[in-house]
């Protein structure tokens, strides 16, 4: 009798709606404290001294140069890692070969290694004095360390897994039936990719590109080590924010930080908009096959 009473009590307790509301409230409170509140503080501090001070903070020559360097690195890094991510995900999903497990481990290596260690690794490779390739760097007069090429290489390493890791599970779940059917009907490899594979992986690809973009623009540790933080030469936007903040230029620091936050919000909004546009189109084949009454 006692066990039956306890069972009924627990069943009624689980059915109480306030329990769900409590969990929802805890989740929203956590997100507000960890995500929303810091984001609001960034924008509040950026505009605390007015629009003129905000505009001055983001239009100084140092800030403009840092923004330009950041976007150059992103424009070079994102297409390369997108192409590589699709290719390596295709190979891992479609082929079996010796060393596949090791290749998967190498793909995750940039997520496990500290960005500061990554910067040191490239210094030990391409430094003209202590680098492993110092002879070739000196012979061909290559400037990798404390220059844009080194910053691009470190950013490529840091952002390497994002596209591949998002596309790979989708390709594995997709199977080979649709691609084989397209090839049987006469489609070549390029047509099969664009007509069959790409529509299936496009949202995973978009999400991977978003993650890659965010990491490339917001990277600090590896770029900080290999760039040398040379003002008007190798300063990215994140390095510029640190520099002006340590110089007690709070408004300028938060103004530049708000640009990074705004870019992240616009990227997420673009993703949501594209999903809303594509959702009705994805229903068209099913609607077309539904018999009319």
């Amino acid at each position: 009798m006692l066990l039956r009473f306890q069972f009924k009590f627990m069943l009624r307790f689980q059915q109480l709606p306030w329990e769900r509301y409590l969990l929802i409230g805890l989740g929203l409170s956590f997100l507000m404290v960890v995500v929303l509140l810091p984001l609001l503080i960034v924008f509040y501090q950026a505009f605390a001294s007015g629009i003129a001070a905000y505009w001055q903070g983001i239009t100084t020559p140092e800030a403009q140069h840092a923004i330009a360097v950041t976007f150059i690195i992103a424009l070079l890094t994102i297409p390369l890692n997108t192409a590589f991510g699709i290719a390596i995900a295709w190979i891992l999903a479609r082929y079996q070969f010796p060393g596949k497990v090791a290749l998967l481990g190498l793909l995750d290596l940039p997520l496990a290694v500290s960005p500061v260690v990554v910067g040191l690794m490239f210094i030990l490779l391409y430094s003209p004095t202590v680098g492993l390739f110092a002879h070739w760097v000196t012979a061909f007069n290559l400037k990798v360390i404390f220059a844009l090429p080194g910053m691009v290489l470190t950013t490529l390493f840091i952002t390497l897994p994002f596209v591949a890791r998002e596309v790979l599970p989708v390709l594995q779940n997709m199977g080979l039936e649709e691609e084989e059917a397209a090839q049987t009907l006469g489609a070549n490899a390029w047509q099969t990719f664009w007509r069959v594979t790409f529509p299936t992986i496009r949202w995973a690809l978009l999400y991977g590109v978003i993650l890659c973009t965010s990491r490339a623009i917001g990277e600090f540790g590896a770029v900080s080590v290999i760039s040398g933080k040379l003002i008007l030469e190798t300063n990215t936007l994140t390095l510029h924010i640190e520099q002006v903040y340590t110089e007690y230029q709070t408004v300028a620091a938060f103004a530049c930080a708000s640009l990074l936050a705004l870019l992240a919000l616009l990227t997420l909004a673009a993703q949501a908009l594209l999903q809303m546009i594509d959702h009705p189109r994805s229903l068209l084949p099913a609607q077309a096959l539904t018999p009319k009454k």
Side-chain angles (χ1 to χ4, degrees):
M1 181 66 69
L2 181 61
L3 292 176
R4 184 181 300 177
F5 175 77
Q6 290 178 346
F7 176 75
K8 290 182 178 179
F9 178 78
M10 291 299 297
L11 183 61
R12 291 180 180 178
F13 181 79
Q14 292 175 358
Q15 293 175 350
L16 290 177
W18 65 266
E19 184 182 19
R20 290 175 293 176
Y21 296 143
L22 178 62
L23 292 176
I24 294 172
L26 289 175
L28 291 177
S29 300
F30 181 80
L31 289 176
M32 182 173 294
V33 172
V34 175
V35 178
L36 183 60
L37 188 60
L39 186 64
L40 293 177
I41 289 295
V42 168
F43 285 100
Y44 173 78
Q45 292 291 339
F47 291 97
S49 299
I51 300 295
Y54 177 87
W55 184 254
Q56 183 180 1
I58 63 175
T59 55
T60 60
E62 294 83 1
Q64 293 293 308
H65 185 271
I67 293 171
V69 171
T70 301
F71 276 97
I72 289 173
I73 293 174
L75 289 175
L76 292 174
T77 303
I78 296 166
L80 290 174
N81 269 342
T82 300
F84 172 80
I86 295 173
I88 196 66
W90 178 277
I91 293 171
L92 291 172
R94 295 292 181 259
Y95 300 102
Q96 297 293 332
F97 53 90
K100 182 177 179 178
V101 177
L103 183 58
L104 280 169
L106 287 175
L107 190 62
D108 291 334
L109 184 63
L111 299 177
V113 179
S114 169
V116 176
V117 176
V118 174
L120 291 174
M121 284 164 41
F122 279 92
I123 288 178
L124 294 176
L125 285 175
Y126 299 106
S127 172
T129 55
V130 298
L132 182 63
F133 304 131
H135 175 73
W136 288 275
V137 170
T138 305
F140 293 99
N141 195 24
L142 300 177
K143 191 169 180 58
V144 180
I145 307 302
F146 304 150
L148 184 62
M151 299 165 70
V152 172
L153 286 174
T154 54
T155 308
L156 280 171
F157 184 92
I158 290 295
T159 58
L160 182 69
F162 292 106
V163 174
R165 269 303 180 185
E166 293 300 325
V167 174
L168 179 58
V170 180
L171 285 175
Q172 290 174 335
N173 292 330
M174 178 183 174
L176 298 173
E177 293 80 7
E178 296 181 1
E179 295 176 355
E180 290 176 348
Q183 293 174 358
T184 302
L185 294 174
N188 57 34
W190 191 249
Q191 291 172 331
T192 302
F193 174 78
W194 281 111
R195 300 290 182 87
V196 178
T197 308
F198 182 75
T200 304
I201 68 170
R202 56 183 169 182
W203 294 122
L205 178 62
L206 175 62
Y207 189 63
V209 170
I210 289 173
L211 292 177
C212 183
T213 303
S214 300
R215 186 63 187 272
I217 293 176
E219 175 55 32
F220 178 82
V223 173
S224 175
V225 173
I226 203 168
S227 68
K229 301 181 182 180
L230 304 178
I231 300 176
L232 292 177
E233 290 188 29
T234 61
N235 244 9
T236 61
L237 190 54
T238 53
L239 300 180
H240 175 72
I241 292 171
E242 184 211 21
Q243 176 218 332
V244 294
Y245 187 77
T246 54
E247 294 175 355
Y248 300 102
Q249 302 179 36
T250 307
V251 175
F254 279 102
C256 293
S258 69
L259 294 180
L260 293 176
L262 182 61
L263 182 61
L265 293 175
L266 290 176
T267 306
L268 293 176
Q271 180 190 17
L273 179 61
L274 289 174
Q275 289 178 340
M276 291 173 59
I277 294 173
D278 186 74
H279 182 66
R281 295 180 180 178
S282 63
L283 298 178
L284 288 178
Q287 294 173 352
L289 294 175
T290 303
K292 297 181 179 180
K293 296 182 178 180

